Amino acid sequence: MKRRNFLRIAAASPIAAALLSPLNLLRGQIPPNRPQGAPQGGFPGRSQGPTEYVPTGPGIKVRFMGTGGADWRGQPINGEYRRNASILVDGKVIFDLTQTAVDMIPADCHPETIFYTHSHNDHYVPKAALDVGIKRVYLGETWIDRAKEDFRKAAEGTGKPLPEFIPLKEGQTVTVEGLTVTALPANHASNYNEEQTLIYLIVKDSARLLYATDTGGLTARALGFAGAGQFSRDRKFLTGIIMEATMDANYAPDQRIFSHSSVDLVAQTVQVLSQTRNYLPVEGQKVYITHLGRSYPPQAEIDATLPAPLSAAYDGLEVLYP
Ligand SMILES: [Zn+2]
Ligand SMILES: [Zn+2]
């Protein structure tokens, strides 16, 4: 920004004007919140990092089994329908599952592991997990006791064995089925205030895929745990992003802004992560939006209006993240 423009804006802002007071300018003070040596919005040392991503392995295969927000409730619109948000990774690991997406598990796949993001019933239905034969349940430590009780009730009288439960702390990394998965804090809330909801970083070979639903934007701490935060010391870039865009571009602001993302927010997030080289995908890789609300137009129309590299996921879409 040209200094003249900056001063003009500063004059309109009492805080900025105070920071620019002649005394501060005289002393050469750096305004608060701007670390010394870091350009505004910049990442010190980031310019030394790689400019191109060269994959070292086959990568992560994602099957979108459900791409709808909670408001679909099994009701098609104009012949189109989205199941509850769910993905199957490498045919072996599920992230969130309700009965709506059970039919999307391919016949030759028998996933035994599930990661839950949170306990909203458009993501978490114990009966569905038991029905498909889940043996390992990874979920936030903040609600594990409740989940165990829910599963016990769901299994009652069915003769189905209870799975093993593995609690995750924020930032904790586990390895299962060839995937290294890190639990990241989401900006979301369930009906239980003590529950810290999660999003996930999925790593295999050199591929680093962020699966972010449900969340209102990405928090600095989540990016920090993923190695892509502004202040991360151990910097690593993301090579794939799947992010929720519950609200379409034309939505009127409502309470969802506190816990969900709009398509505009996702576009801005990707733009900034790209500019700062915290997102460095292979050429042509799309950023898929998921957990789409019912207010979106039909699939064919969505992609026509989305800014690159955004694309709308749909139920049954399979994507390889090298
Ligand atoms: Zn949801
Ligand atoms: Zn939710």
Side-chain angles (χ1 to χ4, degrees):
M1 186 187 293
K2 285 205 179 101
R3 181 171 165 76
R4 209 183 318 135
N5 292 341
F6 180 45
L7 289 171
R8 202 178 296 145
I9 291 165
S13 155
I15 296 167
L19 290 171
L20 276 179
S21 74
L23 200 58
N24 278 345
L25 286 176
L26 202 65
R27 289 177 184 153
Q29 285 177 353
I30 293 165
N33 300 327
R34 193 185 315 180
Q36 291 208 10
Q40 191 167 28
F43 291 72
R46 196 59 167 175
S47 58
Q48 306 300 319
T51 55
E52 194 189 359
Y53 168 49
V54 182
T56 64
I60 301 167
K61 196 176 113 184
V62 171
R63 174 175 170 83
F64 289 88
M65 302 202 294
T67 57
D71 56 357
W72 281 82
R73 300 188 196 289
Q75 301 298 314
I77 305 173
N78 302 327
E80 280 199 351
Y81 173 57
R82 291 180 187 273
R83 295 161 180 80
N84 291 143
S86 171
I87 55 169
L88 175 64
V89 179
D90 283 355
K92 291 178 179 167
V93 179
I94 296 176
F95 287 76
D96 292 341
L97 182 70
T98 71
Q99 287 99 335
T100 66
V102 167
D103 68 323
M104 296 300 285
I105 300 174
D108 59 346
C109 289
H110 305 283
E112 296 181 349
T113 304
I114 193 165
F115 284 80
Y116 285 116
T117 57
H118 63 300
S119 68
H120 275 158
N121 65 7
D122 61 318
H123 299 257
Y124 163 73
V125 175
K127 184 180 182 308
L130 292 170
D131 285 349
V132 303
I134 290 295
K135 293 190 169 68
R136 280 171 297 277
V137 173
Y138 290 87
L139 77 175
E141 61 173 1
T142 54
W143 60 289
I144 190 163
D145 291 338
R146 179 156 48 88
K148 282 179 178 172
E149 182 60 13
D150 291 342
F151 268 81
R152 190 192 61 74
K153 279 187 198 153
E156 219 163 45
T158 65
K160 287 176 181 154
L162 282 173
E164 176 192 1
F165 291 85
I166 302 103
L168 298 171
K169 293 184 199 304
E170 291 171 75
Q172 187 176 343
T173 296
V174 292
T175 299
V176 61
E177 302 280 23
L179 302 171
T180 300
V181 180
T182 303
L184 314 173
N187 176 34
H188 194 64
S190 75
N191 308 33
Y192 299 83
N193 236 359
E194 70 279 7
E195 180 182 337
Q196 171 61 59
T197 69
L198 300 174
I199 54 178
Y200 289 101
L201 174 71
I202 307 166
V203 175
K204 182 178 157 195
D205 305 322
S206 57
R208 300 171 59 80
L209 171 65
L210 178 71
Y211 183 60
T213 191
D214 296 352
T215 186
L218 300 178
T219 69
R221 287 185 68 238
L223 286 169
F225 283 127
Q230 188 172 358
F231 306 110
S232 296
R233 285 160 198 234
D234 178 25
R235 290 210 187 87
K236 294 182 178 123
F237 51 84
L238 300 168
T239 66
I241 299 174
I242 299 167
M243 189 165 168
E244 72 131 290
T246 305
M247 294 91 87
D248 64 74
N250 301 315
Y251 89 104
D254 59 40
Q255 292 211 74
R256 292 176 299 174
I257 63 167
F258 302 124
S259 57
H260 286 290
S261 304
S262 66
V263 67
D264 291 339
L265 181 55
V266 176
Q268 288 171 9
T269 299
V270 172
Q271 186 187 347
V272 173
L273 288 174
S274 301
Q275 280 168 357
T276 55
R277 292 194 212 158
N278 282 294
Y279 174 51
L280 206 54
V282 292
E283 207 180 328
Q285 183 80 67
K286 290 173 175 172
V287 169
Y288 284 97
I289 54 170
T290 187
H291 202 269
L292 307 187
R294 279 170 62 92
S295 60
Y296 274 86
Q299 177 73 29
E301 283 176 42
I302 304 175
D303 276 341
T305 60
L306 287 178
L310 269 54
S311 188
Y314 52 87
D315 298 8
L317 171 68
E318 290 192 349
V319 181
L320 184 67
Y321 291 89

Tab-separated table of all heavy atoms in Angstrom, residues 250-291:
chain	number	residue	atom	x	y	z
A	250	ASN	N	-24.535	-15.904	-1.627
A	250	ASN	CA	-25.630	-14.929	-1.496
A	250	ASN	C	-26.327	-14.970	-0.142
A	250	ASN	O	-27.389	-14.376	0.013
A	250	ASN	CB	-26.675	-15.183	-2.588
A	250	ASN	CG	-26.075	-15.072	-3.962
A	250	ASN	OD1	-25.326	-14.143	-4.233
A	250	ASN	ND2	-26.372	-16.025	-4.820
A	251	TYR	N	-25.756	-15.633	0.814
A	251	TYR	CA	-26.479	-15.806	2.075
A	251	TYR	C	-26.544	-14.491	2.852
A	251	TYR	O	-25.640	-13.663	2.781
A	251	TYR	CB	-25.849	-16.907	2.923
A	251	TYR	CG	-24.760	-16.447	3.856
A	251	TYR	CD1	-24.998	-16.321	5.223
A	251	TYR	CD2	-23.492	-16.121	3.380
A	251	TYR	CE1	-24.009	-15.895	6.084
A	251	TYR	CE2	-22.500	-15.701	4.236
A	251	TYR	CZ	-22.747	-15.587	5.578
A	251	TYR	OH	-21.780	-15.155	6.421
A	252	ALA	N	-27.648	-14.311	3.562
A	252	ALA	CA	-27.767	-13.159	4.453
A	252	ALA	C	-27.191	-13.583	5.801
A	252	ALA	O	-27.501	-14.662	6.294
A	252	ALA	CB	-29.233	-12.776	4.599
A	253	PRO	N	-26.324	-12.746	6.375
A	253	PRO	CA	-25.663	-13.148	7.625
A	253	PRO	C	-26.657	-13.625	8.683
A	253	PRO	O	-27.695	-13.005	8.892
A	253	PRO	CB	-24.950	-11.876	8.063
A	253	PRO	CG	-24.719	-11.129	6.803
A	253	PRO	CD	-25.894	-11.430	5.925
A	254	ASP	N	-26.339	-14.748	9.282
A	254	ASP	CA	-27.146	-15.266	10.389
A	254	ASP	C	-26.196	-15.932	11.379
A	254	ASP	O	-24.978	-15.813	11.249
A	254	ASP	CB	-28.238	-16.230	9.880
A	254	ASP	CG	-27.666	-17.426	9.128
A	254	ASP	OD1	-26.624	-17.952	9.566
A	254	ASP	OD2	-28.249	-17.827	8.112
A	255	GLN	N	-26.728	-16.652	12.334
A	255	GLN	CA	-25.901	-17.194	13.416
A	255	GLN	C	-24.822	-18.154	12.945
A	255	GLN	O	-23.865	-18.417	13.668
A	255	GLN	CB	-26.800	-17.934	14.419
A	255	GLN	CG	-27.713	-17.027	15.178
A	255	GLN	CD	-27.976	-17.575	16.564
A	255	GLN	OE1	-27.118	-17.528	17.426
A	255	GLN	NE2	-29.169	-18.104	16.767
A	256	ARG	N	-24.982	-18.670	11.725
A	256	ARG	CA	-23.995	-19.630	11.248
A	256	ARG	C	-22.601	-19.021	11.090
A	256	ARG	O	-21.618	-19.747	11.033
A	256	ARG	CB	-24.462	-20.243	9.920
A	256	ARG	CG	-25.688	-21.144	10.064
A	256	ARG	CD	-26.170	-21.641	8.723
A	256	ARG	NE	-26.569	-20.539	7.846
A	256	ARG	CZ	-26.920	-20.674	6.583
A	256	ARG	NH1	-26.909	-21.866	6.031
A	256	ARG	NH2	-27.255	-19.627	5.857
A	257	ILE	N	-22.526	-17.683	11.025
A	257	ILE	CA	-21.188	-17.089	10.857
A	257	ILE	C	-20.272	-17.420	12.037
A	257	ILE	O	-19.062	-17.326	11.931
A	257	ILE	CB	-21.209	-15.550	10.669
A	257	ILE	CG1	-21.778	-14.842	11.893
A	257	ILE	CG2	-21.944	-15.166	9.429
A	257	ILE	CD1	-21.511	-13.340	11.872
A	258	PHE	N	-20.847	-17.834	13.177
A	258	PHE	CA	-20.012	-18.154	14.333
A	258	PHE	C	-19.453	-19.575	14.290
A	258	PHE	O	-18.588	-19.919	15.081
A	258	PHE	CB	-20.818	-17.984	15.628
A	258	PHE	CG	-21.379	-16.597	15.800
A	258	PHE	CD1	-22.740	-16.396	15.978
A	258	PHE	CD2	-20.544	-15.490	15.762
A	258	PHE	CE1	-23.259	-15.130	16.121
A	258	PHE	CE2	-21.050	-14.216	15.903
A	258	PHE	CZ	-22.423	-14.027	16.077
A	259	SER	N	-19.986	-20.403	13.428
A	259	SER	CA	-19.591	-21.814	13.485
A	259	SER	C	-19.417	-22.479	12.109
A	259	SER	O	-19.037	-23.643	12.047
A	259	SER	CB	-20.629	-22.605	14.282
A	259	SER	OG	-21.908	-22.456	13.703
A	260	HIS	N	-19.701	-21.750	11.055
A	260	HIS	CA	-19.567	-22.330	9.712
A	260	HIS	C	-18.881	-21.337	8.781
A	260	HIS	O	-18.757	-20.152	9.092
A	260	HIS	CB	-20.954	-22.684	9.143
A	260	HIS	CG	-21.563	-23.902	9.784
A	260	HIS	ND1	-21.075	-25.167	9.584
A	260	HIS	CD2	-22.627	-24.035	10.626
A	260	HIS	CE1	-21.801	-26.043	10.276
A	260	HIS	NE2	-22.745	-25.379	10.926
A	261	SER	N	-18.491	-21.830	7.618
A	261	SER	CA	-17.805	-20.987	6.636
A	261	SER	C	-18.709	-20.730	5.434
A	261	SER	O	-19.512	-21.581	5.066
A	261	SER	CB	-16.525	-21.672	6.146
A	261	SER	OG	-15.692	-22.000	7.219
A	262	SER	N	-18.518	-19.567	4.830
A	262	SER	CA	-19.197	-19.267	3.568
A	262	SER	C	-18.217	-19.552	2.438
A	262	SER	O	-17.006	-19.643	2.650
A	262	SER	CB	-19.612	-17.797	3.529
A	262	SER	OG	-18.454	-16.986	3.506
A	263	VAL	N	-18.745	-19.620	1.237
A	263	VAL	CA	-17.876	-19.884	0.092
A	263	VAL	C	-16.872	-18.741	-0.075
A	263	VAL	O	-15.714	-18.963	-0.446
A	263	VAL	CB	-18.731	-20.159	-1.174
A	263	VAL	CG1	-19.481	-18.927	-1.620
A	263	VAL	CG2	-17.870	-20.706	-2.291
A	264	ASP	N	-17.286	-17.518	0.250
A	264	ASP	CA	-16.349	-16.393	0.156
A	264	ASP	C	-15.200	-16.541	1.151
A	264	ASP	O	-14.053	-16.230	0.845
A	264	ASP	CB	-17.073	-15.061	0.424
A	264	ASP	CG	-18.031	-14.719	-0.699
A	264	ASP	OD1	-17.854	-15.257	-1.811
A	264	ASP	OD2	-18.964	-13.929	-0.472
A	265	LEU	N	-15.527	-16.998	2.352
A	265	LEU	CA	-14.481	-17.182	3.367
A	265	LEU	C	-13.488	-18.260	2.929
A	265	LEU	O	-12.281	-18.118	3.117
A	265	LEU	CB	-15.113	-17.539	4.718
A	265	LEU	CG	-14.138	-17.745	5.886
A	265	LEU	CD1	-13.230	-16.540	6.089
A	265	LEU	CD2	-14.900	-18.051	7.174
A	266	VAL	N	-14.012	-19.320	2.332
A	266	VAL	CA	-13.119	-20.380	1.850
A	266	VAL	C	-12.204	-19.824	0.751
A	266	VAL	O	-10.991	-20.065	0.750
A	266	VAL	CB	-13.913	-21.593	1.321
A	266	VAL	CG1	-12.965	-22.638	0.723
A	266	VAL	CG2	-14.741	-22.216	2.440
A	267	ALA	N	-12.784	-19.040	-0.159
A	267	ALA	CA	-11.984	-18.468	-1.252
A	267	ALA	C	-10.873	-17.587	-0.696
A	267	ALA	O	-9.715	-17.659	-1.142
A	267	ALA	CB	-12.879	-17.681	-2.204
A	268	GLN	N	-11.191	-16.768	0.299
A	268	GLN	CA	-10.182	-15.884	0.896
A	268	GLN	C	-9.115	-16.690	1.629
A	268	GLN	O	-7.928	-16.382	1.570
A	268	GLN	CB	-10.843	-14.905	1.868
A	268	GLN	CG	-11.653	-13.836	1.158
A	268	GLN	CD	-12.481	-13.003	2.127
A	268	GLN	OE1	-12.330	-13.113	3.337
A	268	GLN	NE2	-13.353	-12.181	1.590
A	269	THR	N	-9.576	-17.730	2.334
A	269	THR	CA	-8.645	-18.580	3.080
A	269	THR	C	-7.638	-19.217	2.135
A	269	THR	O	-6.426	-19.204	2.389
A	269	THR	CB	-9.445	-19.679	3.816
A	269	THR	OG1	-10.355	-19.044	4.726
A	269	THR	CG2	-8.521	-20.606	4.596
A	270	VAL	N	-8.135	-19.747	1.028
A	270	VAL	CA	-7.251	-20.418	0.062
A	270	VAL	C	-6.307	-19.403	-0.579
A	270	VAL	O	-5.118	-19.671	-0.776
A	270	VAL	CB	-8.090	-21.150	-1.005
A	270	VAL	CG1	-7.211	-21.679	-2.131
A	270	VAL	CG2	-8.879	-22.289	-0.358
A	271	GLN	N	-6.842	-18.211	-0.846
A	271	GLN	CA	-6.014	-17.173	-1.463
A	271	GLN	C	-4.831	-16.819	-0.555
A	271	GLN	O	-3.681	-16.770	-0.992
A	271	GLN	CB	-6.881	-15.929	-1.712
A	271	GLN	CG	-6.163	-14.837	-2.471
A	271	GLN	CD	-6.982	-13.553	-2.558
A	271	GLN	OE1	-8.184	-13.549	-2.264
A	271	GLN	NE2	-6.341	-12.485	-2.936
A	272	VAL	N	-5.119	-16.619	0.727
A	272	VAL	CA	-4.060	-16.230	1.660
A	272	VAL	C	-3.072	-17.379	1.886
A	272	VAL	O	-1.854	-17.172	1.892
A	272	VAL	CB	-4.662	-15.746	3.002
A	272	VAL	CG1	-3.561	-15.502	4.030
A	272	VAL	CG2	-5.475	-14.483	2.791
A	273	LEU	N	-3.590	-18.584	2.057
A	273	LEU	CA	-2.689	-19.728	2.265
A	273	LEU	C	-1.802	-19.950	1.038
A	273	LEU	O	-0.648	-20.351	1.166
A	273	LEU	CB	-3.493	-20.997	2.570
A	273	LEU	CG	-4.150	-21.058	3.958
A	273	LEU	CD1	-5.031	-22.293	4.088
A	273	LEU	CD2	-3.101	-21.044	5.074
A	274	SER	N	-2.339	-19.671	-0.144
A	274	SER	CA	-1.539	-19.823	-1.362
A	274	SER	C	-0.469	-18.734	-1.445
A	274	SER	O	0.703	-19.020	-1.693
A	274	SER	CB	-2.427	-19.739	-2.609
A	274	SER	OG	-3.405	-20.746	-2.582
A	275	GLN	N	-0.908	-17.479	-1.220
A	275	GLN	CA	0.029	-16.351	-1.308
A	275	GLN	C	1.205	-16.526	-0.348
A	275	GLN	O	2.323	-16.116	-0.632
A	275	GLN	CB	-0.695	-15.044	-0.953
A	275	GLN	CG	-1.507	-14.482	-2.090
A	275	GLN	CD	-2.429	-13.362	-1.633
A	275	GLN	OE1	-2.503	-13.048	-0.444
A	275	GLN	NE2	-3.121	-12.761	-2.571
A	276	THR	N	0.924	-17.104	0.813
A	276	THR	CA	1.957	-17.236	1.838
A	276	THR	C	2.664	-18.585	1.763
A	276	THR	O	3.436	-18.937	2.650
A	276	THR	CB	1.329	-17.066	3.232
A	276	THR	OG1	0.248	-17.997	3.367
A	276	THR	CG2	0.813	-15.661	3.435
A	277	ARG	N	2.381	-19.319	0.702
A	277	ARG	CA	2.999	-20.631	0.459
A	277	ARG	C	2.749	-21.614	1.590
A	277	ARG	O	3.584	-22.461	1.885
A	277	ARG	CB	4.501	-20.494	0.231
A	277	ARG	CG	4.833	-19.789	-1.053
A	277	ARG	CD	6.295	-20.001	-1.384
A	277	ARG	NE	6.816	-18.846	-2.089
A	277	ARG	CZ	8.095	-18.536	-2.135
A	277	ARG	NH1	8.977	-19.283	-1.522
A	277	ARG	NH2	8.492	-17.492	-2.811
A	278	ASN	N	1.632	-21.472	2.227
A	278	ASN	CA	1.230	-22.480	3.192
A	278	ASN	C	0.345	-23.523	2.524
A	278	ASN	O	0.004	-24.525	3.129
A	278	ASN	CB	0.490	-21.826	4.359
A	278	ASN	CG	1.458	-21.163	5.307
A	278	ASN	OD1	2.253	-21.848	5.954
A	278	ASN	ND2	1.452	-19.844	5.358
A	279	TYR	N	-0.044	-23.233	1.298
A	279	TYR	CA	-0.784	-24.204	0.483
A	279	TYR	C	-0.081	-24.283	-0.862
A	279	TYR	O	-0.017	-23.300	-1.595
A	279	TYR	CB	-2.240	-23.762	0.319
A	279	TYR	CG	-3.027	-24.630	-0.623
A	279	TYR	CD1	-3.034	-26.015	-0.488
A	279	TYR	CD2	-3.778	-24.068	-1.656
A	279	TYR	CE1	-3.740	-26.817	-1.373
A	279	TYR	CE2	-4.504	-24.852	-2.528
A	279	TYR	CZ	-4.478	-26.227	-2.386
A	279	TYR	OH	-5.181	-27.030	-3.251
A	280	LEU	N	0.501	-25.440	-1.133
A	280	LEU	CA	1.286	-25.622	-2.345
A	280	LEU	C	0.896	-26.961	-2.973
A	280	LEU	O	1.537	-27.981	-2.757
A	280	LEU	CB	2.773	-25.619	-1.962
A	280	LEU	CG	3.813	-25.205	-2.981
A	280	LEU	CD1	3.518	-23.840	-3.575
A	280	LEU	CD2	5.200	-25.184	-2.326
A	281	PRO	N	-0.188	-26.975	-3.740
A	281	PRO	CA	-0.675	-28.243	-4.309
A	281	PRO	C	0.024	-28.556	-5.632
A	281	PRO	O	0.763	-27.719	-6.150
A	281	PRO	CB	-2.149	-27.939	-4.558
A	281	PRO	CG	-2.158	-26.477	-4.904
A	281	PRO	CD	-1.037	-25.833	-4.127
A	282	VAL	N	-0.217	-29.745	-6.154
A	282	VAL	CA	0.232	-30.012	-7.519
A	282	VAL	C	-0.623	-29.161	-8.460
A	282	VAL	O	-1.737	-28.763	-8.113
A	282	VAL	CB	0.086	-31.505	-7.901
A	282	VAL	CG1	1.043	-32.363	-7.103
A	282	VAL	CG2	-1.351	-31.985	-7.742
A	283	GLU	N	-0.088	-28.896	-9.639
A	283	GLU	CA	-0.774	-28.027	-10.582
A	283	GLU	C	-2.147	-28.591	-10.930
A	283	GLU	O	-2.293	-29.799	-11.166
A	283	GLU	CB	0.075	-27.876	-11.849
A	283	GLU	CG	-0.195	-26.569	-12.564
A	283	GLU	CD	0.652	-26.424	-13.810
A	283	GLU	OE1	1.790	-26.933	-13.830
A	283	GLU	OE2	0.138	-25.819	-14.768
A	284	GLY	N	-3.132	-27.734	-10.928
A	284	GLY	CA	-4.480	-28.127	-11.334
A	284	GLY	C	-5.323	-28.730	-10.220
A	284	GLY	O	-6.505	-29.018	-10.427
A	285	GLN	N	-4.722	-28.918	-9.036
A	285	GLN	CA	-5.481	-29.493	-7.917
A	285	GLN	C	-6.583	-28.522	-7.482
A	285	GLN	O	-6.337	-27.343	-7.287
A	285	GLN	CB	-4.554	-29.754	-6.733
A	285	GLN	CG	-5.228	-30.415	-5.543
A	285	GLN	CD	-5.382	-31.919	-5.739
A	285	GLN	OE1	-4.411	-32.648	-5.777
A	285	GLN	NE2	-6.620	-32.343	-5.889
A	286	LYS	N	-7.777	-29.042	-7.325
A	286	LYS	CA	-8.884	-28.183	-6.906
A	286	LYS	C	-9.049	-28.201	-5.393
A	286	LYS	O	-8.663	-29.173	-4.738
A	286	LYS	CB	-10.184	-28.647	-7.566
A	286	LYS	CG	-10.187	-28.381	-9.059
A	286	LYS	CD	-11.403	-29.001	-9.708
A	286	LYS	CE	-11.458	-28.625	-11.182
A	286	LYS	NZ	-12.515	-29.342	-11.887
A	287	VAL	N	-9.624	-27.133	-4.874
A	287	VAL	CA	-10.022	-27.104	-3.464
A	287	VAL	C	-11.512	-27.433	-3.441
A	287	VAL	O	-12.321	-26.675	-3.985
A	287	VAL	CB	-9.776	-25.718	-2.837
A	287	VAL	CG1	-10.441	-25.623	-1.474
A	287	VAL	CG2	-8.284	-25.439	-2.723
A	288	TYR	N	-11.854	-28.557	-2.862
A	288	TYR	CA	-13.267	-28.948	-2.868
A	288	TYR	C	-13.989	-28.398	-1.641
A	288	TYR	O	-13.493	-28.500	-0.520
A	288	TYR	CB	-13.398	-30.464	-2.946
A	288	TYR	CG	-13.115	-30.952	-4.345
A	288	TYR	CD1	-11.856	-31.422	-4.677
A	288	TYR	CD2	-14.089	-30.874	-5.337
A	288	TYR	CE1	-11.577	-31.821	-5.982
A	288	TYR	CE2	-13.808	-31.265	-6.635
A	288	TYR	CZ	-12.556	-31.743	-6.952
A	288	TYR	OH	-12.287	-32.114	-8.244
A	289	ILE	N	-15.160	-27.819	-1.899
A	289	ILE	CA	-16.005	-27.393	-0.791
A	289	ILE	C	-17.038	-28.493	-0.539
A	289	ILE	O	-17.484	-29.179	-1.463
A	289	ILE	CB	-16.689	-26.022	-1.044
A	289	ILE	CG1	-17.461	-26.011	-2.375
A	289	ILE	CG2	-15.652	-24.911	-1.023
A	289	ILE	CD1	-18.344	-24.783	-2.551
A	290	THR	N	-17.382	-28.655	0.747
A	290	THR	CA	-18.332	-29.698	1.122
A	290	THR	C	-19.278	-29.140	2.188
A	290	THR	O	-19.231	-27.957	2.515
A	290	THR	CB	-17.567	-30.948	1.620
A	290	THR	OG1	-18.504	-32.019	1.829
A	290	THR	CG2	-16.819	-30.687	2.923
A	291	HIS	N	-20.156	-29.993	2.728
A	291	HIS	CA	-21.130	-29.570	3.754
A	291	HIS	C	-21.974	-28.395	3.230
A	291	HIS	O	-22.248	-27.424	3.929
A	291	HIS	CB	-20.389	-29.175	5.043
A	291	HIS	CG	-21.246	-29.236	6.278
A	291	HIS	ND1	-21.964	-28.148	6.734
A	291	HIS	CD2	-21.493	-30.216	7.171
A	291	HIS	CE1	-22.605	-28.488	7.851
A	291	HIS	NE2	-22.332	-29.729	8.135
